[in-house]
Amino acid sequence: FRRVLFRSVALTSQTYGSLFKAYGQARDMEKLWELWNEMEQREVMPTSVTVGCFVDALASNGCAEEALTLVHRLLRDSKRASLVNNIIFSTLLKGFGLTKQVDRLFAVYAEMRGAGISCNSVTYNTMMDACAKCGCMDKAAALLADMRAAGISPDKITYSTLVKGHCFSGDIDAAFAVLKEMRDTAAIVPDEIMYNSLLDGCARQGLW
């Protein structure tokens, strides 16, 4: 079907983006790269969304390193460097977080900041989530400081992720300190997910 389609119509970058999503969900990395190479051979100029779809397909399938290599190649291309934005970098961070490669995660974060690419709440929440899942909550305080220094206020997702991470790491006092700070400074009301994390954390520590 795809061969017939390609012979009959000129595919746009949007179509390639949809196909990247499809092959990513199918976990077919060989076809994914085949499509990317074909897009380049046809000299179809991708958009940031197209690149984002491709990077997400790679990162979601444990190929964050390959995705980063591609991003580096785009950044060296004067015609395509502008396609790389904070969403794409956040996707890379998510990919390294999924594979629990903490060192690579923070290396990409440092590269992102060094390149002057702005971080947003999604970027920081992605980093916090990776810290929570990888058991490295000692790095979360510095991230929170970076977030505030960038003029970005922590939201409910930020606080919920911090609570979850501290509970998972067994530091219940830190989790309740986050809850208190959230209520006192941000006036955010805790939700069911946050309470469930606290209940689970207390149960793990035998704090009946």
Side-chain angles (χ1 to χ4, degrees), residues 4 17 32 41-42 74 88 99 138 146 154 169 178 181 208:
V4 173
L32 186 68
Q41 289 166 7
R42 289 172 176 261
L74 293 173
I88 290 170
T99 54
D138 55 309
D146 287 349
S169 298
V178 170
E181 178 187 329
W208 313 115

Side-chain angles (χ1 to χ4, degrees), residues 184-200:
D184 293 347
T185 64
I188 297 176
V189 179
D191 58 13
E192 181 184 357
I193 295 173
M194 199 175 297
Y195 278 122
N196 284 342
S197 294
L198 288 166
L199 288 168
D200 184 63

Side-chain angles (χ1 to χ4, degrees), residues 83-104:
L83 299 177
V84 180
N85 54 29
N86 60 358
I87 296 174
I88 290 170
F89 263 98
S90 293
T91 302
L92 288 171
L93 293 173
K94 178 182 175 183
F96 283 113
L98 286 173
T99 54
K100 297 186 177 182
Q101 294 176 269
V102 178
D103 290 342
R104 298 299 292 137

